[in-house]
Amino acid sequence: NDLQSQLEPLSTPQLRKRLHRTFGVSYEDSDESAYDRENVMRRLLQCYNSNSNSICDKTDNPLPQRTVRHERGVPLDPTLLKGLLDEIEAIRWPRTTRERPKIAAQGYVILQRPPPSTSAIEPATSSSANTNKAKREAEKLQRFIGIWEKAVEAIESVDEEFSRSFT
């Protein structure tokens, strides 16, 4: 199931939050099934796949049909592609717990665009951005700066407008 594979990396609390925000379905904290990941996932998938509102306890407001988009890829310039592949092959993947353990991959990392007040290379120094999480994200981006720069370059080459807005 494509949708389930997209939802798999989310934690059980994140699945519950999506179920509540999207479908108005909530669990009582005392309800043991609220902590059963398989149960929460099954309920969320039922809500997404259901044509009937009764499964999701949302009888007043019918949900719009989920939009499915199909996009055709754009070929990259071979020089950019080679640089990107070289960077990927040069990565020394961490041997620690992965960020998303449910993803079955030998190497997996999530990189985010640094906040506007920081550069890609230097960690944030402002008091609001100087949290442990911001520091860890900046350090991680620094470790993977080569692949980050090549990925941004590849995105810029095919969609300059999107390259200014993605995170």
Side-chain angles (χ1 to χ4, degrees), residues 9-77:
L10 301 179
S11 67
T12 304
Q14 289 171 320
L15 293 173
R16 284 178 57 187
K17 185 183 286 185
R18 180 167 298 193
L19 192 56
H20 177 71
R21 287 185 175 168
T22 307
F23 300 102
V25 175
S26 53
Y27 289 89
E28 294 294 324
D29 288 337
S30 60
D31 182 354
E32 288 185 23
S33 66
Y35 304 96
D36 178 354
R37 180 180 176 75
E38 288 180 26
N39 175 62
V40 175
M41 176 69 82
R42 183 174 43 255
R43 184 84 183 267
L44 183 56
L45 291 170
Q46 285 174 338
C47 289
Y48 273 121
N49 293 325
S50 174
N51 292 331
S52 162
N53 291 329
S54 61
I55 290 178
C56 298
D57 300 333
K58 196 153 184 158
T59 54
D60 349 356
N61 302 322
L63 293 165
Q65 192 71 354
R66 183 177 163 94
T67 303
V68 176
R69 292 178 51 176
H70 298 276
E71 298 289 337
R72 180 168 289 178
V74 178
L76 284 179
D77 174 282

Side-chain angles (χ1 to χ4, degrees), residues 5 8-9 98 100-105 108:
S5 67
E8 216 42 71
R98 295 189 313 263
R100 292 191 173 166
K102 294 278 184 182
I103 300 292
Y108 187 91

Side-chain angles (χ1 to χ4, degrees), residues 104-163:
Q106 289 179 349
Y108 187 91
V109 67
I110 301 165
L111 299 176
Q112 296 178 342
R113 183 185 298 273
S117 62
T118 66
S119 75
I121 298 176
E122 297 177 22
T125 55
S126 72
S127 60
S128 64
N130 203 7
T131 64
N132 285 338
K133 182 177 181 183
K135 285 180 185 177
R136 283 192 313 271
E137 288 297 321
E139 289 167 357
K140 181 172 60 169
L141 184 58
Q142 179 58 41
R143 275 194 323 270
F144 296 102
I145 195 68
I147 190 65
W148 173 262
E149 290 173 344
K150 293 295 182 185
V152 170
E153 189 179 351
I155 293 169
E156 287 172 343
S157 77
V158 295
D159 191 337
E160 196 170 323
E161 183 179 340
F162 178 72
S163 75

